[in-house]
Amino acid sequence: MTSLIKKNASGPADDGDANLLINEVVGVPGGIGEAARRGRAAAYDSFLRGLLPERDGVALLAVGGLGRRQCAPYGDLDLVLLHAGVPGTDELAASVWYPIWDAGLRLDHSVRTVAEALSVAQDDVKVALGLLDARLIVGDQALADALIRTAADHWRRTAVRHLPGLREVTEARWQSHGELAFLLEGDLKEAAGGLRDVGLLRAISAAGITDALRPAVRAAHLRLLDTRDALHQQVGRRVDRLVAQERDGVANLLGLRQLQPGASDGARRPGAVVEDGDALLRRVAGDARTVSHALDDAFRAADRLRSGRSRGGNGRPARRPVARDVVEHDGELVLARTAIGARPDPSLSLRVAAASATTRIPIARATCEWLAAYCPPLPAPWPAEARAALITLLGAGAGLVPAWETCDRYGLVDGWLPEWTRLRSLPQHNPVHRFTLDRHLVQTAHEASRHAREVERPDLLLLGALLHDIGKGLPGDHSTVGVPVAQAVATTVGLPTAEVELIGKLVRLHLLLPDVATRRDLSDPVTIASVAEAVGDTGTLDVLHALVRADAAATGPAAWSDWKGRLVAELVARVRTALDTGVLPEPPAPNPELLAGPLPVVHLTGDRVSVAAADRRGLLATVAGCLALHRLEVISADASAVDGRALVECRVQPRYGLPPDPVPLRADLRRAVAGDVSVIQRLRGRALASRGGGAAPRVVWHREAATDAVLLELRAADAAGLLYRVACALDEAGALVRAARISTLGADVVDAFYLVGGWPDDATRARLEAAVLAAV
């Protein structure tokens, strides 16, 4: 064999049946917690001792979870049959392995001499780590001790050399499985910050490099093990991924309960306190961050041992000043001796964090602990020095996130912003979000620093980015309920009244530009006037534009696209013109190529599709259906009539990433608008096939959102051909659509239809609404 562990290809076909066999044959107890895990290990030990008679030169060792006595309810058995060259080892191994398989247990196994095991461990660092957990179950104690002792000594001598390669493998695993702290359905074992990383910390501690398993890490590890126990028990089989449908059940088994918004600890009314999967996600996120941060520290300590640092004349690491009261020492930031000896000022922790972020040098653990213990609280309002340090920290770019995470791990951020306790590790269930709420806010500030030179007040942009979603987690619209919370923070930080009001405006309007750009007709003067009135001045407009882009970049790839960026930029340009001149821009003229030549006219240019035909009635629906037939999504559509010609101009994007062949698309558009029956039949067949489930759709009316039209807004599940079906329904109901705007939000859409005419009466609205909902 070439590795310590050989995967078993046989075993039980069904985990549920295996559980019955385990209980009947082995007597392994269930349950959650350290005592239950040790109980399972004891039951396995007892079972295994009956399989191998005591004899010299042979030993059965447990590694992995059984070696550590941390057995999950449905975990594997990892065993090594160690021998001293005695004859008949193959038969002896079979006499051990087959009863284990017959008992329905999953088994990883190997047969080795001490020399063979050490040779494999020397070539494979994963095997070397496995031997660190080795524990004798039954057999020759001296033989087992020889392997365990030699393997541990070898690891202590070679760990620093092996860790760079191990780190590469670890980072590849992180890339594959993501960060457990920020995943809605993370792998408790393999994701960054999970149980596999605790094994690395244990190995680094065993090498004597640093005390990686400090109390906070041990506590996080035990909670992650408890979560995996509960997940196994909830699902009834071995599984490490905490999927959404199991969260509430796992939280219930762990006794995790979270207050509903507005409830108090003493509330007795029904439903005030509930078993909550979000409470579980927050706990897992906090524990994963603790593990990840400790592993960063441990790898950094190994790097220092391997490479060494510049030394002073006395042979000690050199100290280099980097900021007031802050020096670099052995690759980390520590406090200057004068800062420790004197009474620290309240801004010291912020200044250390700012120095770390700007220099990208990590803060030493001892320094963080000292600041948490001895740095006095900030007064309200903050002194100017603390405020300047916060802005420096937020504007530091790539250094912000690691510096903030470090300070958060030691409780320093809670001292700066008491609201952070509520925000920490709060999950965001919208699939476009890749981070928890607190990390999203910090990431937004980082992204906002890229636009700092585009605005008059970069400091307010950075602070607004940090606070823009602070209302999430509170009852109501977060853009509204977050305003007083953000203004309170701004007041505490020490901003003057006018700037506090501006922070509140940024929070209230941070979704205005993308919402209007994707859901409203940008050529309508009412659209531009309403945004200009809400924003007030070009300086605020620039900050909002920068905040929108930073927010999208921090949310995730699905939150932004080139077309969305162009729409927002177009809206900003039109609003800027209105604010600068007081004159609303003229709507764009139709494509002149549509006004010449014989009908029908079809033009395909980039992401634009333009069609001219003789009859306006039903043209929008026909064009939309034809585009859906070719797997193109319509982002916006405008319908008009000029000189007796019906015009439809659309912006489109491929539904599946690849653009269609323009030749058949152009041909189908010409035939469809000319009334070709075969194309119409294909459209109807595709439309019927596209219908799907989802939440109940909803129609919302807006009276004064347009100059010459009323706005019908459809909120529904996304589906191919939806615009075609709705446009057909409106056409058949007698409504005239002059524009449509389509905004996709994950699996849902918000489609806005501009209906020409005045505000319809109740009966007409009800009829149109019923027609639209029936089409969905």
Side-chain angles (χ1 to χ4, degrees):
M1 300 179 190
T2 58
S3 64
L4 178 66
I5 300 299
K6 176 183 177 182
K7 295 295 183 182
N8 170 36
S10 62
D14 180 82
D15 285 328
D17 293 340
N19 185 42
L20 294 176
L21 290 168
I22 290 169
N23 289 334
E24 292 173 3
V25 179
V26 186
V28 176
I32 299 167
E34 185 68 10
R37 289 187 287 273
R38 288 186 170 274
R40 284 189 284 272
Y44 284 131
D45 287 357
S46 178
F47 170 69
L48 294 170
R49 288 190 188 106
L51 303 180
L52 183 69
E54 291 277 359
R55 58 180 290 185
D56 293 338
V58 177
L60 184 64
L61 276 65
V63 294
L66 180 57
R68 299 187 298 272
R69 293 188 173 90
Q70 293 173 344
C71 298
Y74 291 92
D76 291 350
L77 293 185
D78 299 335
L79 301 175
V80 181
L81 185 61
L82 193 66
H83 65 95
V86 298
T89 53
D90 289 342
E91 294 77 5
L92 183 61
S95 70
V96 176
W97 306 149
Y98 277 95
I100 295 174
W101 290 328
D102 291 341
L105 297 171
R106 299 166 61 98
L107 173 65
D108 294 342
H109 60 86
S110 66
V111 181
R112 293 277 186 263
T113 65
V114 171
E116 288 170 343
L118 292 174
S119 176
V120 173
Q122 186 171 1
D123 296 332
D124 190 334
V125 68
K126 292 182 180 180
V127 174
L129 297 186
L131 287 178
L132 297 177
D133 295 325
R135 177 175 64 84
L136 176 66
I137 299 294
V138 62
D140 191 326
Q141 181 73 58
L143 183 65
D145 287 346
L147 175 61
I148 294 171
R149 182 178 60 253
T150 306
D153 289 343
H154 178 266
W155 173 249
R156 280 191 291 270
R157 293 194 307 271
T158 63
V160 173
R161 174 167 54 86
H162 281 305
L163 281 177
L166 183 59
R167 186 170 189 171
E168 288 184 11
V169 173
T170 299
E171 290 175 347
R173 170 170 55 82
W174 292 346
Q175 185 70 27
S176 175
H177 292 277
E179 296 181 75
L180 181 57
F182 308 121
L183 294 171
L184 292 174
E185 295 189 337
D187 189 307
L188 297 171
K189 184 176 182 180
E190 302 293 346
L195 294 170
R196 184 78 73 186
D197 285 352
V198 179
L200 294 178
L201 290 172
R202 188 167 51 252
I204 292 171
S205 292
I209 295 172
T210 183
D211 178 20
L213 293 176
R214 49 187 182 268
V217 176
R218 294 178 186 273
H221 180 212
L222 291 177
R223 285 191 293 268
L224 289 173
L225 288 172
D226 289 349
T227 302
R228 186 175 65 174
D229 288 353
L231 180 59
H232 282 203
Q233 189 164 315
Q234 170 71 16
V235 178
R237 59 185 174 84
R238 178 187 174 183
V239 60
D240 293 323
R241 185 172 296 281
L242 184 59
V243 295
Q245 60 265 33
E246 308 298 349
R247 280 200 297 261
D248 286 342
V250 172
N252 185 25
L253 289 173
L254 293 172
L256 291 178
R257 309 201 307 167
Q258 178 165 293
L259 288 175
Q260 288 181 341
S264 64
D265 289 327
R268 301 295 182 188
R269 62 187 183 279
V273 181
V274 295
E275 282 78 23
D276 196 340
D278 278 3
L280 174 62
L281 282 178
R282 296 186 77 164
R283 192 176 87 166
V284 168
D287 292 336
R289 285 167 129 169
T290 297
V291 171
S292 292
H293 184 72
L295 190 55
D296 286 343
D297 278 350
F299 277 138
R300 197 161 58 244
D303 289 342
R304 289 197 299 273
L305 283 178
R306 188 179 66 258
S307 61
R309 302 291 182 186
S310 58
R311 304 278 166 170
N314 57 3
R316 296 177 180 176
R319 295 169 66 91
R320 178 177 66 89
V322 297
R324 184 166 70 87
D325 296 328
V326 186
V327 299
E328 178 188 3
H329 174 77
D330 208 14
E332 295 179 324
L333 293 188
V334 300
L335 294 174
R337 296 185 180 92
T338 54
I340 297 175
R343 177 179 174 83
D345 72 86
S347 66
L348 180 59
S349 63
L350 273 166
R351 291 192 285 108
V352 172
S356 174
T358 53
T359 62
R360 302 188 188 181
I361 301 173
I363 309 171
R365 187 175 88 190
T367 299
C368 291
E369 292 171 344
W370 189 93
L371 290 170
Y374 300 110
C375 189
L378 286 159
W382 288 9
E385 189 173 32
R387 190 163 57 253
L390 175 64
I391 298 304
T392 301
L393 171 62
L394 296 179
L400 166 62
V401 172
W404 190 281
E405 284 283 316
T406 297
C407 293
D408 195 24
R409 290 299 89 198
Y410 293 93
L412 300 179
V413 175
D414 289 352
W416 309 337
L417 304 170
E419 276 290 330
W420 209 252
T421 302
R422 178 178 62 80
L423 307 174
R424 183 179 293 110
S425 299
L426 188 66
Q428 302 193 85
H429 292 287
N430 190 316
V432 301
H433 277 278
R434 57 178 172 167
F435 294 127
T436 54
L437 177 58
D438 56 333
R439 173 62 183 276
H440 170 70
L441 295 176
V442 178
Q443 190 71 29
T444 304
H446 159 54
E447 299 292 346
S449 67
R450 305 177 189 272
H451 306 288
R453 297 182 181 180
E454 302 172 14
V455 299
E456 296 176 358
R457 292 297 304 270
D459 54 337
L460 298 184
L461 167 62
L462 295 170
L463 188 57
L466 183 69
L467 302 177
H468 74 283
D469 275 346
I470 200 169
K472 285 187 175 179
L474 298 175
D477 181 354
H478 75 280
S479 298
T480 301
V481 300
V483 171
V485 182
Q487 289 179 328
V489 172
T491 300
T492 300
V493 168
L495 297 185
T497 302
E499 295 177 5
V500 169
E501 292 297 323
L502 181 53
I503 291 294
K505 178 183 279 192
L506 294 179
V507 172
R508 185 173 65 255
L509 301 181
H510 74 274
L511 297 176
L512 175 68
L513 296 181
D515 283 353
V516 171
T518 56
R519 301 182 188 179
R520 297 293 181 264
D521 181 4
L522 303 189
S523 65
D524 194 313
V526 170
T527 301
I528 306 305
S530 63
V531 174
E533 181 180 5
V535 172
D537 60 83
T538 56
T540 303
L541 179 66
D542 289 338
V543 174
L544 280 173
H545 190 199
L547 178 55
V548 164
R549 288 173 285 168
D551 187 14
T555 297
W560 198 251
S561 61
D562 290 342
W563 69 263
K564 191 171 185 178
R566 289 196 298 270
L567 289 176
V568 171
E570 181 181 341
L571 173 61
V572 169
R574 290 174 176 273
V575 172
R576 182 185 304 282
T577 299
L579 290 172
D580 282 341
T581 66
V583 178
L584 295 175
E586 292 291 330
N591 184 349
E593 295 178 335
L594 299 179
L595 303 179
L599 295 175
V601 179
V602 176
H603 282 283
L604 308 179
T605 308
D607 64 347
R608 291 181 179 270
V609 175
S610 303
V611 176
D615 185 8
R616 180 173 184 179
R617 178 64 66 182
L619 181 61
L620 174 60
T622 300
V623 171
C626 200
L627 294 175
L629 195 63
H630 288 262
R631 298 179 178 180
L632 284 172
E633 292 181 330
V634 178
I635 300 165
S636 66
D638 293 289
S640 59
V642 178
D643 297 333
R645 293 184 174 222
L647 312 179
V648 170
E649 298 182 78
C650 301
R651 283 183 174 178
V652 298
Q653 65 178 3
R655 176 170 279 271
Y656 301 112
L658 295 176
D661 187 334
V663 175
L665 172 59
R666 183 180 290 106
D668 274 351
L669 282 169
R670 287 181 174 276
R671 292 163 56 200
V673 299
D676 189 303
V677 176
S678 64
V679 178
I680 300 299
Q681 289 175 341
R682 288 167 59 201
L683 297 181
R684 290 173 178 170
R686 176 64 62 88
L688 291 174
S690 300
R691 293 180 183 270
R698 180 187 175 202
V699 168
V700 179
W701 293 86
H702 300 272
R703 182 192 291 267
E704 298 178 352
T707 305
D708 60 347
V710 293
L711 194 64
L712 183 152
E713 192 173 77
L714 170 65
R715 302 174 185 178
D718 189 18
L722 179 62
L723 176 59
Y724 168 66
R725 298 198 303 272
V726 175
C728 283
L730 289 171
D731 182 61
E732 292 170 2
L736 184 61
V737 180
R738 75 156 174 80
R741 295 294 180 270
I742 286 73
S743 176
T744 303
L745 307 170
D748 291 340
V749 293
V750 178
D751 291 354
F753 296 89
Y754 286 76
L755 308 183
V756 176
W759 182 252
D761 55 46
D762 293 345
T764 302
R765 286 202 310 276
R767 180 170 55 82
L768 293 175
E769 185 171 330
V772 168
L773 294 177
V776 174

